[in-house]
Every structure is written in structure tokens, then in C-alpha cells.
């Protein structure tokens, strides 16, 4: 298989979610990602979520396709070794609290002096500099401080956090693209550099604020309905099911009234124009939800709307997503080989690569067990199997 | 200034938000992005949001740093010209409904035959193939069908849509990184390819589902509080203000009780252990919110928590974000030159580049007016000023 990043070597010091997801993407496209993790237990993401035979499946997804080398970063022997390894790596990614890599002797300046062509990417909650840079950062805090939470939820209710670790994932995708851009530049010019990716800035990027910044108009929560269009938003049916609906033209409004078998509403003075529909939004919403509640399964309503060409969709739960014929048709559900320590199943299911490439499709590969590649990797740097074992034994006792 | 993408030429057929944001990122890093848009009015994003002197500021942000060339894609002369332009471009990005570019004679096969090294990226709601590929797609629909909406909001309330056009922005960041990866590969191997980025698959990527896919455990809405940790989540104070709080250890719980000046709570049998706090979560939340409501400004509570080392943050609104000393310290607030048609102000304010590069920082540049670069660009392909004008005149009348 042609792999876009074949021959690219990555030293990966990341832990938790954002950093490992980013380096997992590098592995999907064929980079050799050498995960440096703590001896014995390995890094924290190995404990996340459900475990099979003692291995976290989420951890296995985050660390897909990587090689694991265990090193105790408090041991000067480890640092000396890493400084040799850095010489023939192209990318280094780390997600420690700002300042920690410097203290270890692995900060950007030290590494750049050894390998000026290397792309050094730091992923952190708040960025490498500034008043909050050394504060503990969590996905939840980046969501709160980006303003994203404040614009989610009902107007008369509290802000709403995302149900997923949004900043971790979007931060990972940002770091990936930023690294690729700098890698290409480094290969062409010989100029490596430091990239500072912060979860907070990534989340702020998603929250435009052009209006606020230029005319002082603050965006607030508008609940599940659009500020200016109607009907446009989320509508509830029976049994907790709901749909989204985007009726964006007079023609679609007339068609929608037909679907509801209430053609008279199209000319109803409460709902005839967009202005009228907005002015009578509560009545409009109630009427649509009454109609939706005539269906035991909201998919039936969605099918009618779809047939009439009205932009709409059932609000999918995870089961709907992963049984949907279109999603399945994308070959986005993949079987990932389990880490070798998992004996009860050969593969687990996960989503595939984030984009489809016609000539060089990525591949989600097996994650390593803790220290699985110690000998393979460290022997390249002149260590014998005995020396490697002696180091690991020393750390096991400490 | 060193620009990472200096010398890279992009043909940009995108409109709306996701595609233009992606090509805007290419422009931030120095690519020459030639935006092909419809004569006279230009593309739809020019009408978005607030207008200054008839120019949309959001449109100006989305189209930052690009060059605008107006061509009527229904005119065979335009297609012939574009086929010449494609010969010396490196990247083509489009966001039309799947099938439209093929019909125009600008589909991947046709373009690849002319320039096999070109990276051709399609950004769409549902992807280029599969049962829904030709359905109309909107950010809202991708949010609904990804399952992301279903996991946002209170357990006993409806799903909640994001207050931002989440799939558009995350789709843009995904497309950008995918293009960079394929560009580097094309430059090294001569092998161009087609990239299929879909908003739906991008959003599904953010919604892990490893548990559901492997043990059938469906993630549901858990409101603003964590499933297993307590107190961890969003807590409301006075006047609609709120904070997030992550008390993740016994030590932090004791410290938190001190901050509330209720040290006795640390040993209270309702709250002593994590299990007890979870079992009595409603009482715990009420108690914390009562304390928060003693502050007229919740920032005061946040400062006390911060001083005690308790991970916490005020839930920022847009004003909080853009007046925060840390955010301002990142130099993330930039002055972007306004399009030349804007005479009432020279610059507008917007967020800067999505990551910080130490050697080649990006730059958010002026957006073009409709057709501003017709002569500059089209004269490269052998057209005289008269011929260009004749074409534009012909289209103006049609």
C-alpha cells in the first residue's frame, strides 16, 4: 500500500486525548510514530473507558499504528538516548504542561540545536505563553473559556457543554494539519520550527465573533431554533425522538404544509410570510411538533419530508449513526486489530480515517502494548537487548 | 515574510462556509488562492451577516487573502480557460453538490487527465458517493446525523444544536490538513489524487462511539455534569453567569470546601467520598450553586478557586473571551485590511491563524472584491484586457 507518510519518523511524547489523536492520524497515513511512554503502566489514555483483557479500546484507537517505547524521563540515560533519536526524526509532538519539556532538557531550543530541520509541535490547553499557560487545562475548561458553551442551549437555560471532548478532537485535527504544513516546508527549505497549538485558541477559532468584535453585537444562546429563519431548527416528536428541519424558502414552506396534510397553513395569516412565521414561532413550533407526535417512529416523518425535497434529518443517536445505510456505504466503520495482549478478540470496531484519499487511503492499524517496541527501536540506537532490559529493570524497581 | 505555501497555486470553486474557510487557511500561509466565483454578485458567503459599505465582514474573513476571478461556468469559454489554468495549479478545492463539477467538465477525471499531479479536494455534506450524496446538506443536518446533537443537552430535555456552525469549521480544518498531506505527497511522487472530505464523516469522527460499537453501550445526554466525577461540570451563579469546575481528587474536594468556607463538608457523610458525592449529586450541586449565588460577579468565585489551584473557569461570553488578558496576550486578535470597496474603515477585527508557527507565522490578509483580480490572473492565460471585459459584459447581460 502507498502510504503518504512512509519514511517519516515521529517522536511522540503526548498523552491523554488531543496529542495521541493527532499522532494517530500521522500513523494512519504511514508515519512511524514512536510513542515514548512511562515504564510499566504506560500513559494515562490506556486506562480510558471500557477495557478488554485489560486494554482500553479508546486507548487502542488513540494509539493506533504506533510503536511503544518505555523510557523514564527522569533518568539522564533516557534523555541522552532521546537526543540521539531526535537526530533522525522528522517530527516531535508533545503535550506536557508548558515548561516541562524544557526542564527535561527536551525543549524546543535543545532539540532544534540537535536537528534544525525537525518540526516540533506542542499541544496544550492554553498555549505555550501567556498568563494561563501553566494552569491545568481540561477539555471542559477550553470549552468554557472559548465562549462556545455560552452559545449552546436554550435562551432561558444555562450554557450547555458538548457531549464529546470537542476541544481534544478539534485540537488534534488542527495540530495534524499544522504539522503537515510545516513538515513540507521543512523538507523543502531545511527550516524546522516550533508549532504552538492550543485547545483554547482552536475552540475560539470555531466561534467567529466577527459581529461582536466589529459592531459589539454579542451572540447569545438561541436554543434549537434559528435567529432569522422559521421553521429552521430542531423539532421534537414522540418518545424523545426529534428531527432537524430547514425550511428556507416560500416554496419549501408550501411543500412542507402539503407534507403535513395542512395545505391551508401555507396561506394562514399567522404563517404565510417568513416575518409572520417568526412572529408566531411558538405556535408554529407547537403545530409542527403536534404533527411529528402522530408518528410512533419519527423516521416515517423524515422519510415523507425527504421525499418532498425538504432539507431535514432525524436526530441520530449512536445506533442510528452506525446502522445508517449511507454511513455504512462510506466504509467508515473499520475493524481494527486489537493490541497483542487482547486474546479474547482479534479486532474491534471504530471509525476510519477522517478523509478519503483516492490513491493513498489511510489505514487504522494495531496499537502497541506498553513497551512492545523497546528492542526494535532502541537497538537502532546502538543498545543491546541486555542493556535495554537492564534499564527497564532499573525503572521497574524505582 | 517567509510563507510556507509561497508558490502554491490553488483554484478555489468553493462557496458558503466550509470550503472558503479551508482555502482561507491556505491563503493565511501564503498560497495564491484564485477564487472562481459567479459574475456580478459573487458567491453566497458575500451576503452573510453584517455588511459594511455593502461588504460582508464574515465573507471578508472567509475569503481572506484570496484573488477573485469571475467566470460564468455555464459558458464553454470559461471551462476552456479553466482547463488551461488547471495546468499550473497545485490544488483544486470545490464544494458543489456531488456530480456538478463532472457535469461542468471540471470533475476529477477530466482535471486529473490534464494535470495528474494536482490535488483535487471535494468538500461536501455527505461525501461524494453513497445514498445521500446528492441530497442538500447543511451544517445543521450534519450535526443531527452525526449523533453529536443527541449527546448534547440535559438528560430530560431535547438534543441541543451547537451555537456555531460546527461542521463547517471542523470540516474546513480537516480539509486543510488532508490537502497539505496530499500536496506534500504529490510534490514528492508526482502522484496527485482526489480527496473526499464530508462534513458528516468529520462530525462522526468527533463522536467516538467505541463503547457503542464494541459493547453496545449507547452514549446519551448527561447534561452539564460528568457521568462519574462529582463535582465536575457547569454550575450556575447569579445573573445567568456560570462556571465550570473539575474537582477530580479527594485533595481538591477538601480544598474546594475550604474555598467555600465550609470545611465541614469535606467530612460530611453525604459528600465525603466520590461515591457519596455522586449519590447526593442534586444536593451537592444545589449547595455549590447557593455558594456561587453569593457573588454578584462570578469572576470573584473563579478567582478564589483559581488561587486554591482548583481547575475551574468562568463560562465566557464573547465579550469575556475578547477582553481576557490571556487571549489578548496570544496576539490572536488581529486587524484585517478591509476589501477595497470598504471606504468607511481600513481594517476589521477577527481571530488570527489557527496555530502559531515560530518561523513562518501566517497572516490574515485582505479579501478581494468580486472580480478584482480578473485582469491580473486571466492575462496570464493569454487574455487581453479587452477580451476579459468582453466576456464580463456578455455575462452581465445574461
Amino acid at each position: 500500500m502507498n502510504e503518504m507518510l512512509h519514511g517519516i519518523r515521529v517522536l511522540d511524547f503526548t498523552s491523554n486525548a488531543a496529542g495521541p489523536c493527532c499522532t494517530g492520524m500521522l500513523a494512519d497515513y504511514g508515519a512511524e510514530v514512536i510513542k515514548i511512554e512511562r515504564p510499566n503502566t504506560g500513559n494515562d489514555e490506556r486506562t480510558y473507558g471500557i477495557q478488554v483483557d485489560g486494554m482500553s479500546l479508546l486507548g487502542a484507537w488513540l494509539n493506533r499504528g504506533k510503536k511503544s517505547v518505555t523510557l523514564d524521563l527522569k533518568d539522564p540515560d533516557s534523555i541522552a538516548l532521546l537526543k540521539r533519536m531526535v537526530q533522525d526524526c522528522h517530527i516531535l509532538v508533545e503535550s506536557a504542561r508548558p515548561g516541562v519539556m524544557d526542564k527535561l532538557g527536551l525543549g524546543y531550543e535543545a532539540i532544534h540545536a540537535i536537528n534544525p530541520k525537525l518540526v516540533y509541535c506542542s499541544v496544550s490547553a492554553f498555549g505555550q505563553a501567556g498568563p494561563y499557560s501553566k494552569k491545568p487545562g481540561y477539555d471542559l475548561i477550553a470549552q468554557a473559556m472559548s465562549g462556545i458553551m455560552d452559545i449552546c442551549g436554550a435562551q432561558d437555560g444555562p450554557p450547555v457543554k458538548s457531549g464529546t471532548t470537542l476541544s481534544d478532537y478539534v485540537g488534534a485535527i488542527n495540530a495534524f494539519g499544522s504539522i503537515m504544513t510545516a513538515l513540507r516546508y521543512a523538507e523543502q527549505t531545511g527550516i524546522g520550527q516550533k508549532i504552538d497549538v492550543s485547545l483554547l485558541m482552536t475552540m475560539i477559532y470555531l466561534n467567529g465573533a466577527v459581529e461582536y468584535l466589529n459592531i459589539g453585537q454579542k451572540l447569545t444562546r438561541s436554543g434549537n431554533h434559528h435567529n432569522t429563519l422559521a421553521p429552521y431548527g430542531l423539532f421534537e416528536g414522540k418518545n424523545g425522538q426529534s428531527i432537524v428541519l430547514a425550511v428556507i424558502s416560500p416554496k419549501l414552506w408550501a411543500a412542507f404544509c402539503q407534507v403535513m396534510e395542512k395545505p391551508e397553513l401555507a396561506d394562514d395569516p399567522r404563517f404565510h410570510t417568513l416575518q409572520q412565521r417568526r412572529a408566531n414561532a411558538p405556535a408554529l413550533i407547537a403545530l409542527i411538533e403536534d404533527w411529528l407526535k402522530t408518528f410512533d417512529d419519527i423516521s416515517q416523518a423524515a422519510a415523507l419530508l425527504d421525499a418532498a425535497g425538504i432539507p431535514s434529518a432525524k436526530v441520530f443517536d449512536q445506533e442510528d449513526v452506525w446502522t445508517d445505510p449511507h454511513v455504512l456505504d462510506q466504509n467508515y466503520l473499520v475493524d481494527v486489530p486489537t493490541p497483542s495482549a487482547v486474546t479474547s478478540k482479534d479486532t474491534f470496531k471504530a471509525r476510519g480515517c477522517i478523509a478519503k484519499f483516492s490513491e493513498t487511503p489511510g489505514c487504522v492499524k494495531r496499537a502497541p502494548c506498553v513497551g512492545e517496541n523497546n528492542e526494535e527501536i532502541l537497538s537502532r540506537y546502538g543498545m543491546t537487548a541486555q542493556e535495554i532490559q537492564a534499564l527497564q529493570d532499573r525503572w521497574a524497581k524505582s
Side-chain angles (χ1 to χ4, degrees), chain A:
Chain A
M1 189 171 56
N2 284 333
E3 294 196 303
M4 285 186 284
L5 298 179
H6 180 78
I8 294 298
R9 268 182 305 278
V10 182
L11 263 189
D12 178 8
F13 291 89
T14 66
S15 58
N16 301 318
C21 181
C22 164
T23 54
M25 293 173 75
L26 296 169
D28 288 345
Y29 300 130
E32 182 183 58
V33 179
I34 302 170
K35 179 177 181 66
I36 307 297
E37 55 187 328
R38 83 169 77 92
N40 309 317
T41 55
N43 283 359
D44 286 349
E45 68 279 0
R46 292 184 174 276
T47 65
Y48 291 176
I50 54 160
Q51 310 271 321
V52 175
D53 300 345
M55 300 292 281
S56 149
L57 292 188
L58 177 55
W61 184 79
L62 288 166
N63 289 323
R64 61 198 187 269
K66 304 177 190 176
K67 295 179 176 175
S68 167
V69 169
T70 49
L71 291 176
D72 181 347
L73 298 182
K74 287 185 213 105
D75 187 326
D77 285 349
S78 298
I79 304 302
L81 187 61
L82 284 164
K83 287 185 170 178
R84 292 215 300 281
M85 294 172 74
V86 142
Q87 291 173 30
D88 56 8
C89 280
H90 306 86
I91 298 166
L92 183 155
V93 192
E94 64 90 12
S95 64
R97 197 83 65 88
V100 169
M101 290 295 277
D102 286 318
K103 266 190 203 145
L104 292 170
L106 299 170
Y108 174 68
E109 303 301 333
I111 300 301
H112 185 71
I114 298 168
N115 181 353
K117 217 176 138 175
L118 182 131
V119 171
Y120 188 114
C121 181
S122 295
V123 178
S124 64
F126 297 107
Q128 298 299 301
Y132 308 157
S133 61
K134 299 197 178 176
K135 283 180 34 156
Y138 295 87
D139 173 81
L140 188 69
I141 287 177
Q143 284 193 44
M145 291 182 56
S146 66
I148 282 273
M149 241 183 217
D150 182 62
I151 58 173
C152 294
Q155 214 151 10
D156 54 359
V160 172
K161 76 174 178 69
S162 178
T164 189
T165 51
L166 194 63
S167 3
D168 284 332
Y169 285 124
V170 186
I173 302 169
N174 174 13
F176 171 77
S178 298
I179 290 169
M180 285 296 97
T181 312
L183 173 68
R184 174 186 166 276
Y185 184 76
E187 288 175 319
Q188 296 194 350
T189 63
I191 301 172
Q193 61 185 308
K194 181 171 169 62
I195 309 173
D196 180 354
V197 166
S198 93
L199 304 192
L200 178 59
M201 298 303 135
T202 304
M203 292 303 282
I204 293 175
Y205 196 85
L206 307 184
N207 180 5
V210 168
E211 273 75 12
Y212 169 71
L213 289 173
N214 293 285
I215 61 166
Q217 191 184 91
K218 228 193 278 183
L219 191 63
T220 53
R221 292 186 283 293
S222 68
N224 275 324
H225 294 279
H226 200 273
N227 287 326
T228 53
L229 298 168
Y232 188 112
L234 181 141
F235 299 84
E236 298 176 66
K238 255 187 197 166
N239 308 323
Q241 294 186 316
S242 48
I243 60 165
V244 293
L245 193 60
V247 174
I248 51 172
S249 71
K251 204 177 129 197
L252 284 173
W253 170 240
F256 180 59
C257 295
Q258 289 286 349
V259 171
M260 290 196 293
E261 295 178 6
K262 293 201 170 81
E264 69 279 9
L265 287 179
D267 299 317
D268 188 310
R270 292 172 300 164
F271 307 125
H272 183 55
T273 66
L274 173 59
Q275 284 66 27
Q276 290 161 345
R277 291 195 295 276
R278 284 186 55 200
N280 297 296
L284 176 67
I285 293 167
L287 194 144
I288 294 172
E289 296 191 337
D290 282 346
W291 174 68
L292 289 173
K293 280 171 186 149
T294 63
F295 298 90
D296 282 330
D297 183 344
I298 211 163
S299 302
Q300 297 166 298
L304 293 176
L305 292 164
D306 199 45
I310 294 160
S312 58
K314 182 182 173 191
V315 176
F316 277 3
D317 67 13
Q318 290 186 325
E319 184 177 350
D320 295 321
V321 171
W322 292 107
T323 53
D324 181 77
H326 180 81
V327 174
L328 295 177
D329 187 81
Q330 304 299 308
N331 299 317
Y332 198 46
L333 180 60
V334 296
D335 290 303
V336 185
T338 48
S340 58
V342 175
T343 52
S344 65
K345 54 198 293 184
D346 292 335
T347 61
F348 69 101
K349 294 204 176 290
R351 66 265 203 220
C353 297
I354 195 168
K356 283 187 186 176
F357 294 84
S358 63
E359 303 305 311
T360 56
C363 178
V364 182
K365 288 161 283 221
R366 187 191 299 273
C369 295
V370 180
E372 182 172 326
N373 309 92
N374 282 346
E375 200 170 321
E376 173 194 352
I377 302 294
L378 297 182
S379 66
R380 285 188 205 161
Y381 299 92
M383 293 188 72
T384 64
Q386 287 73 18
E387 289 170 326
I388 296 166
Q389 196 52 54
L391 271 184
Q392 302 294 333
D393 289 346
R394 196 162 93 200
W395 297 330
K397 280 175 213 137
S398 68

